[in-house]
Amino acid sequence: MRIREPKREKGRCVYTVAVVDDDLRQCGILADMIADAPFSSFDIRTFQSVPDLESFQVHHGPVDICLMDVRMDDDAGRFADGIEAVSRLFPEGCGTQVIYVTGYVEYATPVYETPHVYFLLKPVQAEQLYAALGKALERLASQTSAYLPVTCGGAVRRLPVGKIVYLESNRRKVIVHMVDDTVETYAKLSDLEDQLPPNFVRSHMSFLVNMNYLEWVDGKTATLSTGIQLPVSRQRSVATREAFHRHLRGFL
């Protein structure tokens, strides 16, 4: 895997783009073309196998855009199906925008078994790639904060934010406690906090609470409408109570 340092430009989003192709040269060509895209900034990651991409998502979270080669062969001559990988890793509604890339025109129909935004034939032309990236960015921009994307076992799930009661950090994992489910993901609580709307308050180093489910806050405890009581740290006590009072005033 080659890692290209992301561009950091004020006022512009930086999207993580995964290029998956068993041909190292092809990975480099596509990565260079993406880096030269005129309309956004990208954190570009290249992978020569699907397992490498899976490992990255387990440890770093879901990618925003994935350029997936349809047919890949490893050193042992085994065939890897990019369509199957997309079906498994990026199910409908996960939020990741898939762009298929292949040298085989006969895959133009089978790719429609999975959600994707574009189908590119090799050799890829810059104009075609930029059209595909533009479509992917349009879809990303249309997504709202109604869902929180998390990685579970290598696959991506979109969790309805309105159903998240609180998030709990437990070593390298974050446990997302929902109204009707509990989901574990390898992530940092601070990274997930950045993706959530302002009605979530960090009451403790290890807890992030949805104030829509918060009934009472005192100096040491946050009581939820579910009856659960969560700790409030001394350092965050004042900020938590002030955030909760502002939240309540928003309903008055």
Side-chain angles (χ1 to χ4, degrees), residues 179-201:
V179 174
D180 52 3
D181 197 5
T182 301
V183 177
E184 293 187 2
T185 180
Y186 284 98
K188 293 181 179 179
L189 191 59
S190 57
D191 291 341
L192 297 182
E193 182 178 10
D194 290 340
Q195 302 177 58
L196 289 167
N199 57 289
F200 282 79
V201 62

Side-chain angles (χ1 to χ4, degrees), residues 88-104:
R88 179 165 48 85
L89 298 179
F90 307 119
E92 185 75 49
C94 75
T96 298
Q97 306 304 310
V98 175
I99 299 170
Y100 281 112
V101 183
T102 185
Y104 301 92

Side-chain angles (χ1 to χ4, degrees), residues 113-237:
E113 298 172 3
T114 59
H116 66 285
V117 294
Y118 232 87
F119 178 85
L120 297 174
L121 280 173
K122 299 177 183 179
V124 176
Q125 303 300 311
E127 297 79 9
Q128 297 171 331
L129 176 60
Y130 295 159
L133 289 173
K135 179 67 71 174
L137 290 173
E138 286 178 10
R139 293 199 179 185
L140 287 171
S142 68
Q143 294 176 3
T144 67
S145 59
Y147 293 92
L148 175 68
V150 299
T151 303
C152 304
V156 181
R157 287 185 60 181
R158 286 205 310 165
L159 307 181
V161 168
K163 290 187 175 183
I164 297 176
V165 181
Y166 68 98
L167 299 89
E168 176 185 0
S169 176
N170 185 359
R171 296 184 180 180
R172 294 175 57 200
K173 288 185 178 181
V174 171
I175 306 170
V176 184
H177 298 268
M178 305 177 67
V179 174
D180 52 3
D181 197 5
T182 301
V183 177
E184 293 187 2
T185 180
Y186 284 98
K188 293 181 179 179
L189 191 59
S190 57
D191 291 341
L192 297 182
E193 182 178 10
D194 290 340
Q195 302 177 58
L196 289 167
N199 57 289
F200 282 79
V201 62
R202 191 77 170 265
S203 62
H204 186 279
M205 182 178 65
S206 300
F207 292 94
L208 184 60
V209 182
N210 185 346
M211 289 186 286
N212 290 334
Y213 295 94
L214 188 55
E215 285 197 344
W216 181 258
V217 179
D218 59 26
K220 297 181 179 180
T221 306
T223 303
L224 307 182
S225 58
T226 58
I228 293 174
Q229 291 188 324
L230 301 177
V232 176
S233 67
R234 183 174 60 182
Q235 295 86 347
R236 300 174 189 268
S237 176

Side-chain angles (χ1 to χ4, degrees), residues 10-31:
K10 187 176 181 180
R12 306 181 75 181
C13 292
V14 178
Y15 295 100
T16 303
V17 181
V19 180
V20 187
D21 196 303
D22 59 342
D23 186 335
L24 181 61
R25 179 175 175 273
Q26 182 66 24
C27 278
I29 291 173
L30 290 173

